[in-house]
C-alpha cells in the first residue's frame, strides 16, 4: 500500500528548501575587502584572516580563525605581552612563506638590529596585489620581489591564495611560483629554517619542554603514516620533526571542542613528500629544502635546489582548519581531494 504525502507537507517542503539552500550558501559566502596594506577575508560574514602585505619584512596572514572564531595562531610579534604567550622567534608571523637561505641571504629570520654573527637578512617586498571571487572561492593574487640587504633582487614570486569555507571548516590554498632573474640562477640552500609555516597557539601544543619550562599541553601532532607526538618533555627531538609525509595534522582540545590544522603537500610539488619542520613548542612548517638538516647528512648542500636563470618552480600547499581530530575531520580523505585537484 502506498503512503500518501499530505499536500500541505509538500508545500511546506517546497517553501523551506530555498531557505535551507540560502542558509548554506550564506555560511560559505566569501567576501574580500582591500585596504592599503592588507586584504580582509570573511567567510559567512565572519572574519577568517587578513593577508598583510606591507609593514613587515615579509607578507603574512593574521589573525587566523576557526569557523567559530577560535584563534588558531600566536599573536606575537604582531601584538606583544599577550597573556599566556611565549615571545620567542619574532619571525614566526602567524602564517607565512619564506626561506632561510636564498643565494646566501636569510629571508626567514628577522632582527631589528643586525649583529656581526647573523646571516644577511633580506625582505620580501610586495609589488602588486589583486583580488576577486571566482566560483564562490576568494582569490588573492600577489607579486613580490625578494630583496637582499644591498638592494639586489634575488628572485620574484607570483603567489595565488584561494580561500573558502563551510559551516565548520576553513581552507586556504597557497600556490607560489618562484622565478629566477634572466641573468642568474637562484639557489634555495639546505637549511631547516623554512618554509611554508604557521605558528600555532600554545594551547594547541603537546606536552613539551622549552628551556627550563615544561608546558603540560594536550595537543597531538600526527602525520600521514600515523607517527604521533603527544609528549616530548623527555625527548631530544619531536618524532615528526624531519620526517617526510604527504600531510601533517596538529590538533588539541579547547573549551570542550577539538580544533585542528592540517597542512597538505601537493603530489606535484618538487621533492614530494616534503620534510616537516614541525615542533611540539608550536612551529608547524613544510620545508622541501632541508634535507641535510633533517636527515643528518654530511653534505651540507644535499638539499640545495637551484632554479636556473630565467626559470621557475611552483609549490602548492593547502591548510585545512577543522574541528575534531584527524579521523573525525577525515584529513586523509580531504588530502586525497586536494591531490586530485579538488
Amino acid at each position: 500500500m502506498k503512503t500518501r504525502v499530505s499536500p500541505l507537507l509538500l508545500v511546506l517542503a517546497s517553501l523551506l528548501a530555498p531557505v535551507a539552500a540560502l542558509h548554506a550558501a550564506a555560511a560559505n559566502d566569501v567576501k574580500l575587502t582591500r585596504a592599503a596594506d592588507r586584504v580582509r577575508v570573511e567567510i559567512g560574514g565572519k572574519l577568517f584572516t587578513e593577508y598583510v602585505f606591507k609593514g613587515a619584512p615579509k607578507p603574512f596572514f593574521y589573525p587566523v580563525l576557526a569557523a567559530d572564531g577560535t584563534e588558531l595562531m600566536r599573536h606575537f610579534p604582531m601584538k606583544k605581552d599577550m597573556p599566556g604567550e611565549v615571545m620567542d622567534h619574532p619571525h614566526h608571523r602567524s602564517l607565512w612563506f619564506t626561506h632561510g637561505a636564498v643565494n646566501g641571504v636569510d629571508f626567514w629570520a628577522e632582527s631589528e638590529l643586525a649583529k656581526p654573527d647573523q646571516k644577511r637578512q633580506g625582505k620580501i617586498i610586495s609589488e602588486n596585489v589583486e583580488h576577486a571571487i571566482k566560483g564562490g572561492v576568494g582569490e588573492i593574487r600577489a607579486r613580490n620581489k625578494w630583496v637582499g640587504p644591498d638592494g639586489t633582487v634575488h628572485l620574484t614570486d607570483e603567489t595565488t591564495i584561494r580561500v573558502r569555507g563551510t559551516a565548520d571548516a576553513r581552507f586556504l590554498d597557497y600556490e607560489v611560483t618562484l622565478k629566477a632573474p634572466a641573468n642568474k640562477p637562484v639557489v634555495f640552500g639546505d637549511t631547516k629554517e623554512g618554509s611554508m609555516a604557521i605558528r600555532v597557539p600554545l594551547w594547541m601544543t603537546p606536552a613539551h619542554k622549552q628551556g627550563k619550562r615544561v608546558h603540560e599541553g594536550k595537543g597531538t601532532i600526527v602525520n600521514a603514516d600515523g607517527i604521533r607526538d603527544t609528549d616530548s618533555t623527555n625527548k631530544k627531538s619531536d618524532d615528526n620533526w624531519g620526517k617526510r609525509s604527504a600531510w601533517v595534522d596538529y590538533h588539541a582540545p579547547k573549551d570542550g571542542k577539538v580544533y585542528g590544522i592540517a597542512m597538505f603537500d601537493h603530489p606535484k610539488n618538487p621533492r614530494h613528500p616534503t620534510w616537516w619542520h614541525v615542533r611540539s613548542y608550536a612551529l608547524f612548517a613544510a620545508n622541501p629544502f632541508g634535507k641535510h638538516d633533517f636527515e643528518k647528512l654530511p653534505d651540507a648542500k644535499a638539499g640545495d635546489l637551484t632554479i636556473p636563470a630565467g626559470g621557475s618552480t611552483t609549490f602548492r600547499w593547502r591548510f585545512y582548519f577543522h574541528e575534531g581530530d584527524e579521523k573525525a575531520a577525515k584529513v586523509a580523505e580531504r588530502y586525497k581531494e586536494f591531490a586530485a585537484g579538488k
Side-chain angles (χ1 to χ4, degrees):
M1 183 176 68
K2 293 183 178 180
T3 302
R4 296 186 63 185
V5 179
S6 165
L8 179 59
L9 290 176
L10 290 173
V11 172
L12 286 172
S14 66
L15 291 173
L16 291 174
V19 175
L22 284 171
H23 179 75
N28 301 343
D29 283 349
V30 180
K31 180 182 178 182
L32 304 179
T33 306
R34 171 69 180 265
D37 64 344
R38 66 193 65 205
V39 178
R40 179 182 175 91
V41 181
E42 296 173 80
I43 300 177
K46 300 177 182 178
L47 176 63
F48 166 39
T49 189
E50 291 185 342
Y51 175 64
V52 183
F53 53 87
K54 289 184 180 180
K58 56 182 176 280
F60 61 96
F61 297 84
Y62 173 80
V64 181
L65 308 179
D68 66 2
T70 298
E71 295 173 343
L72 299 178
M73 79 296 148
R74 184 180 71 166
H75 288 281
F76 181 78
M78 287 67 63
K79 291 183 179 179
K80 299 180 180 180
D81 299 321
M82 295 292 291
E85 285 199 342
V86 178
M87 293 185 291
D88 58 18
H89 301 84
H91 47 283
H92 291 178
R93 288 184 178 270
S94 187
L95 190 159
W96 73 102
F97 170 76
T98 186
H99 191 62
V102 181
N103 289 348
V105 178
D106 187 353
F107 289 89
W108 174 263
E110 297 178 22
S111 63
E112 295 180 0
L113 298 174
K115 298 178 181 179
D117 60 344
Q118 287 179 330
K119 291 181 180 180
R120 296 182 303 154
Q121 294 177 4
K123 295 182 179 182
I124 302 176
I125 298 174
S126 173
E127 289 192 298
N128 187 58
V129 176
E130 299 176 352
H131 67 276
I133 306 294
K134 297 182 179 181
V137 176
E139 186 175 280
I140 301 170
R141 289 186 175 271
R143 187 172 66 247
N144 306 291
K145 57 183 179 180
W146 298 48
V147 183
D150 62 355
T152 299
V153 177
H154 290 274
L155 74 151
T156 58
D157 76 59
E158 292 183 359
T159 297
T160 301
I161 301 125
R162 297 181 178 91
V163 291
R164 59 186 175 88
T166 65
D168 59 3
R170 299 287 184 260
F171 299 87
L172 188 153
D173 289 1
Y174 195 101
E175 177 180 323
V176 57
T177 297
L178 305 165
K179 307 177 75 172
N183 61 342
K184 64 178 181 180
V186 176
V187 179
F188 276 71
D190 188 331
T191 174
K192 65 183 176 61
E193 307 300 349
S195 298
M196 184 78 255
I198 184 170
R199 179 66 184 254
V200 306
L202 192 59
W203 60 264
M204 190 174 274
T205 61
H208 65 276
K209 186 176 182 180
Q210 191 173 12
K212 295 182 179 180
R213 178 183 177 184
V214 175
H215 176 69
E216 300 295 340
K218 297 181 179 180
T220 296
I221 305 170
V222 59
N223 74 5
D225 298 314
I227 297 174
R228 188 174 297 268
D229 291 323
T230 57
D231 186 344
S232 66
T233 54
N234 296 310
K235 295 184 291 184
K236 293 183 179 179
S237 63
D238 302 313
D239 288 338
N240 273 291
W241 186 86
K243 299 295 192 301
R244 301 184 76 171
S245 183
W247 57 261
V248 169
D249 189 71
Y250 211 128
H251 62 264
K254 181 178 175 60
D255 299 331
K257 293 174 68 174
V258 173
Y259 297 88
I261 304 170
M263 198 189 315
F264 301 157
D265 184 57
H266 198 280
K268 292 184 178 180
N269 280 351
R271 299 177 173 176
H272 173 83
T274 193
W275 293 269
W276 293 88
H277 186 23
V278 58
R279 298 289 200 185
S280 58
Y281 74 77
L283 176 63
F284 181 10
N287 181 350
F289 312 111
K291 185 176 182 178
H292 157 260
D293 277 332
F294 297 135
E295 298 187 4
K296 298 179 174 59
L297 301 177
D299 182 1
K301 297 184 178 182
D304 285 7
L305 184 146
T306 300
I307 304 173
S312 67
T313 190
T314 298
F315 289 91
R316 300 173 181 88
W317 293 281
R318 172 172 290 174
F319 289 86
Y320 169 33
F321 303 93
H322 59 82
E323 295 181 2
D325 62 14
E326 83 281 4
K327 293 180 180 178
K330 299 182 178 180
V331 168
E333 293 179 30
R334 300 292 85 81
Y335 176 78
K336 290 179 180 178
E337 294 171 354
F338 174 61
K342 299 179 181 178

